[in-house]
Amino acid sequence: MPKKCCVVGFPVGHSLSPAMHNAAFKHLGLDFVYEACEVDPRNFVDFMDRVIDGEFHGVSVTVPFKQTVMDYVNVLSPCAKSIDAVNTLFFDGKTLVGENTDWFGIYMILKELVRFKRRRILIYGAGGAARSALYAAKDLDLDIFLTNRTKSKGEKLAKDFDVKYCDPINLPEVDVFVNATSIGLSGQNFLPVSEKWLRRVESVFDMVYTGTILEQTAKKIGCKVISGKKMLLYQGAKQFEIWTGEAAPIRVMEKAIGL
Ligand code: ATR
């Protein structure tokens, strides 16, 4: 019987994780299989029963379960605890561990973007994705601004991470813009900031990798655009290493997601 891994989310039909991980398993000749589990939030408890019963060797956790899932794990890794979000599950013996590899995916991207002193960054969002981005940006010691549709949530998060909060309709000039909202993920797809403001931004990193209006507009006006697929790749490579104990075949995974 192959060891089974999966991604759990709602929706999850768009996910490239099965193609990416299955290509990597195959390349290394590992007896693993990875599938997508679309789970209605009302049935998440039942899904977690299956996880706790040991049906899966490893689980990728995506929207909207990255925080909910924390109630079900036995142990949180130190960074999952600091970020307050989990995107990876694995067993250490019988202990179900909640880990966060998202921040590492973001860290790898930001590190490259700010190599030449472009250090002012605006993160849009206040969910788990934004928390991971804040953790990575703090680690790189960037000049960080945060904005969000719901002001109270944004302000609280900015306070938690000790960064500056700003109103979405009065944004400061920055070098890097990170979309950590779910805009463009399921149906709703629009530009979260004005095109005029975006024109002054050098690099745009959209965590949503479905070809958003933001990504299209940023390309059109000449920003450097980093696809959310890059983040998928780096966070997935870390997961692969956790689950298999093998070095991730990055080039194979990259190709499998069309990068
Ligand atoms: P995740 O854990 O993946 O970050 P989440 O916790 O559901 O997902 O957070 C989604 C983020 O996208 C939130 O910041 C949300 O803004 P609110 O705090 O105002 O809800 C943001 N978001 C979702 N839809 C949005 C929209 N149509 N316009 C602006 N922001 C949106």
Side-chain angles (χ1 to χ4, degrees):
M1 279 282 276
K3 287 185 176 163
K4 203 159 85 169
C5 298
C6 76
V7 53
V8 62
F10 189 79
V12 90
H14 68 282
S15 177
L16 295 173
S17 290
M20 179 175 72
H21 284 290
N22 283 324
F25 295 147
K26 190 168 169 213
H27 180 76
L28 293 182
L30 300 170
D31 195 16
F32 277 64
V33 62
Y34 188 107
E35 58 191 41
C37 292
E38 183 155 297
V39 173
D40 187 300
R42 286 168 296 190
N43 302 328
F44 190 62
V45 182
D46 303 330
F47 173 80
M48 284 310 296
D49 278 344
R50 291 165 59 194
V51 174
I52 290 159
D53 282 349
E55 180 177 335
F56 301 99
H57 179 77
V59 179
S60 309
V61 183
T62 189
V63 181
F65 302 122
K66 288 182 183 181
Q67 285 183 302
T68 326
V69 75
M70 294 169 75
D71 295 337
Y72 298 84
V73 301
N74 302 120
V75 175
L76 288 171
S77 75
C79 68
K81 198 182 250 174
S82 302
I83 295 166
D84 198 27
V86 159
N87 79 317
T88 308
L89 300 177
F90 68 95
F91 284 95
D92 179 8
K94 292 224 174 303
T95 306
L96 182 61
V97 184
E99 174 61 282
N100 188 305
T101 68
D102 277 340
W103 82 271
F104 177 75
I106 301 164
Y107 173 90
M108 293 292 281
I109 288 162
L110 295 183
K111 194 169 88 167
E112 182 63 25
L113 285 181
V114 300
R115 226 163 25 127
F116 305 107
K117 287 201 163 73
R118 296 185 291 261
R119 304 194 71 86
R120 276 166 69 94
I121 179 173
L122 173 74
I123 296 167
Y124 197 147
R131 298 185 73 93
S132 298
L134 283 165
Y135 187 84
K138 284 291 257 190
D139 205 71
L140 288 161
D141 199 24
L142 306 184
D143 190 6
I144 308 164
F145 297 85
L146 182 77
T147 191
N148 191 48
R149 175 179 61 180
T150 308
K151 190 177 174 189
S152 54
K153 271 169 73 183
E155 280 182 333
K156 183 176 179 313
L157 185 56
K159 196 159 172 259
D160 285 354
F161 278 83
D162 192 24
V163 300
K164 292 165 277 254
Y165 182 77
C166 49
D167 197 282
I169 53 163
N170 187 19
L171 299 175
E173 222 170 284
V174 295
D175 307 302
V176 180
F177 173 53
V178 178
N179 175 37
T181 72
S182 47
I183 297 169
L185 197 59
S186 56
Q188 50 167 353
N189 194 355
F190 58 94
L191 197 57
V193 291
S194 75
E195 187 172 321
K196 186 167 169 237
W197 179 82
L198 202 60
R199 281 183 184 277
R200 297 206 304 271
V201 174
E202 196 158 297
S203 306
V204 173
F205 164 38
D206 193 344
M207 292 197 196
V208 178
Y209 58 76
T210 51
T212 58
I213 303 273
L214 170 64
E215 192 173 324
Q216 290 165 27
T217 309
K219 271 186 190 148
K220 184 188 79 186
I221 63 180
C223 302
K224 181 178 166 65
V225 177
I226 292 86
S227 161
K229 283 185 184 176
K230 274 256 177 226
M231 173 181 166
L232 174 76
L233 174 70
Y234 292 126
Q235 64 77 30
K238 267 261 186 246
Q239 293 181 325
F240 185 90
E241 291 174 7
I242 290 169
W243 296 330
T244 66
E246 304 278 346
I250 289 281
R251 298 282 160 260
V252 171
M253 295 169 85
E254 209 168 31
K255 199 164 156 236
I257 60 174
L259 260 176

